[in-house]
Amino acid sequence: DFKRITNKSIRGKISKRTLKNYEEDLNRCSKVIDKDFKKVTEKDILNFLKDYKQATRNRYITLLRCFYRYMYNLDENENKTG
């Protein structure tokens, strides 16, 4: 659940509007790629980004990098605790 993840991880660090934009962007990406996030490949992401202008591509790349870094860290922490 995106809201649970973002509220826990970046609460108070960014505006509610920015959070809403992040949620919309991740949802858009998820709908277009239509795969479990653990199975998404670099090729999937590049294909998703191909029709966007460079500024939009950069925004998505930054967002996806942060998302996957957070999910990786979450998975690592879960593996350490049980």
Side-chain angles (χ1 to χ4, degrees), residues 20-67:
K20 183 166 178 47
N21 290 339
Y22 286 173
E23 181 178 15
E24 289 171 358
D25 286 348
L26 281 174
N27 284 334
R28 186 175 300 112
C29 184
S30 175
K31 285 178 185 174
V32 170
I33 293 176
D34 195 31
K35 283 186 180 179
D36 181 274
F37 77 92
K38 291 181 179 182
K39 296 181 180 180
V40 172
T41 65
E42 181 179 5
K43 184 177 179 179
D44 294 326
I45 293 171
L46 292 174
N47 189 49
F48 168 73
L49 296 173
K50 71 181 179 191
D51 295 326
Y52 289 104
K53 292 182 180 179
Q54 189 61 47
T56 304
R57 277 188 242 147
N58 291 342
R59 187 182 81 232
Y60 272 108
I61 290 167
T62 299
L63 175 62
L64 290 169
R65 184 183 302 125
C66 291
F67 172 76

